[in-house]
Amino acid sequence: MSYGLTAVGAYAPDYRIAAEEFEDAWDSFHAPGVETTAVPDADEDALTMGWEAATRALDAGDASPESVDWLAFASTTPPLEEEDLTARLGSLLGVSTDATRRVFTGSTRAGTQALDSALTAEPNCGLVVVSDCPQGEPHDAREHAAGAGAAAFLVGPDAPVVVADSATHTEAYPGTRFRERGSDTVDSIDAGTYDRNAFARPLGAAVDGVETGDLDAAAVQMPDGKQPYRAAGAMGVETETIHAAETVSTLGDTGAASVPLGLATAFEDGAERVLAASWGSGAGADALVVERDGDLPTAISLDAGESVSYAAYLRLRGEITAEEPDGGGAYVSVPTWHRSLPQRHRLVAGRCPDCGTYTFPPEGACRGCDTLVEFEEVALAGTGTVEAKTEIGSGGAPPEFEALQSKSGAFGVAIVAFDTPDEETASSPAMVVGDAAVGDEVESVQRKIYTQEGVTRYGFKVQTT
């Protein structure tokens, strides 16, 4: 029985910044081979991007979140340094609380390590989510290359894609890429030949341990657009095969998601035999030869949307934004927020057993017959129509939204009539991602709502379909 990949999903933020914007700001650009980088919106992070990729993988594989019995999340930029983020990711997706959970972080190899762990565990339906958004100092080469993106893989039996061979190699090369405790930015000692050897030698040794054969593509770690090609000789790989799976030119350095994103794009383009070669500082490398024999469902969303200026980029990154003012906010405690997670994460509404009217959230009296009933819980599909819309401009938002507004400007709030299984609707207010007008069809997405007490509240917003 073949065990391997059964579906793939991938996501990158809509925003892009061009290399020319950095050149205009700094009179130079230090990320060779990078033309644009993907920039997370003010309410996006590694967790929300991971949700985007995961939902695409589940849809592509025609799998329900309830069927997932093994869930992994990999990132070098988790929103919190200490927390099992698979708990929140699983809640956002609707994965069973009994599913096995694994978190991988601390190295850009985390993505391939998570994938290898899932393949070794052989769950009935595994979901591996790799999401990253590295960051450097504004003037630094690592910041010029820093991008964002996420990939997700369903793994299971009777798979069209299997790992034919794998190997790993590590040796001590400290200082090549690291992030100090408490820091948000990646750093390096920038030692020239030392750095190049630290990258090429582990990759070459790992790839030397597998039978590559005739490759259609090679998804190689891409901190920029030059280093993978410099390592081609050490790996014994043609530069054309590396180019066939590269995403760094348009997305930038996507950290732990770099190789998974390369795999996803290679298979979407029809590749049948792909080398996945990831690298992590320390230094170490993983090499997997992945073969396809059959159709692999993919749902890839990596296209660019809106271009941003360097000033807007700094705002989105939080470099030039205001702090949350003291007092005046509508404080919602974490325990209170927790009680509403089914509604905020999975749009669980209540259907009245007497009149069939939907109430969202499912609390209080029925909106149809005004009686106190025990609602039947129903998870809405997350699609609907805008009934009313307004915009919250500068100074108009509660204090807890000041950071969001400072980063992204005015934001919309709408009343949305969400679709139900009974062709009825359930109306609810929702924040709007992007723009939407009355009558527009929208779908729910999971984003950051705001952060208080160091705890980010995640919940649904809507965007046009």
Side-chain angles (χ1 to χ4, degrees), residues 44-247:
E44 291 188 290
D45 60 15
L47 191 64
T48 65
M49 292 191 301
W51 175 87
E52 294 274 10
T55 55
R56 286 164 172 77
L58 290 165
D59 288 344
D62 195 24
S64 68
E66 294 83 1
S67 68
V68 174
D69 59 352
W70 198 97
L71 175 65
F73 178 70
S75 177
T76 67
T77 55
L80 292 169
E81 288 193 26
E82 183 176 336
E83 181 178 305
D84 183 352
L85 290 167
T86 62
R88 292 216 229 184
L89 179 60
S91 178
L92 294 173
L93 292 169
V95 173
S96 168
T97 55
D98 296 327
T100 300
R101 313 294 178 103
R102 296 288 184 269
V103 176
F104 298 82
T105 188
S107 169
T108 51
R109 295 167 63 193
T112 51
Q113 290 173 337
L115 186 57
D116 178 70
S117 182
L119 294 169
T120 301
E122 295 192 355
N124 290 325
C125 181
L127 176 59
V128 177
V129 182
V130 190
S131 180
D132 230 345
C133 44
Q135 192 169 340
E137 295 292 347
H139 64 281
D140 190 78
R142 281 155 288 277
E143 175 67 5
H144 291 192
F153 303 91
L154 282 180
V155 298
D158 303 320
V161 173
V162 299
V163 174
D165 203 358
S166 65
T168 187
H169 179 83
T170 57
E171 54 185 294
Y173 272 101
T176 49
R177 178 186 176 115
F178 59 90
R179 184 159 59 88
E180 295 185 66
R181 183 176 294 276
S183 174
D184 293 328
T185 57
V186 178
D187 203 352
S188 171
I189 61 173
D190 294 324
T193 301
Y194 176 83
D195 284 354
R196 290 191 290 273
N197 288 338
F199 186 79
R201 285 187 55 170
L203 279 170
V207 175
D208 189 54
V210 298
E211 181 59 48
T212 54
D214 294 327
L215 297 171
D216 298 311
V220 181
Q221 194 75 42
M222 290 209 165
D224 59 34
K226 181 182 289 186
Q227 290 196 61
Y229 298 102
R230 282 179 168 174
M235 293 185 291
V237 174
E238 298 293 332
T239 57
E240 290 82 0
T241 61
I242 296 176
H243 182 71
E246 73 89 9
T247 60

Side-chain angles (χ1 to χ4, degrees), residues 324 329-334 399-400 450-457:
E324 178 183 336
Y331 175 73
V332 179
S333 70
V334 172
E400 60 265 32
Y450 60 83
T451 300
Q452 275 186 341
E453 304 168 309
V455 180
T456 298
R457 275 73 159 169

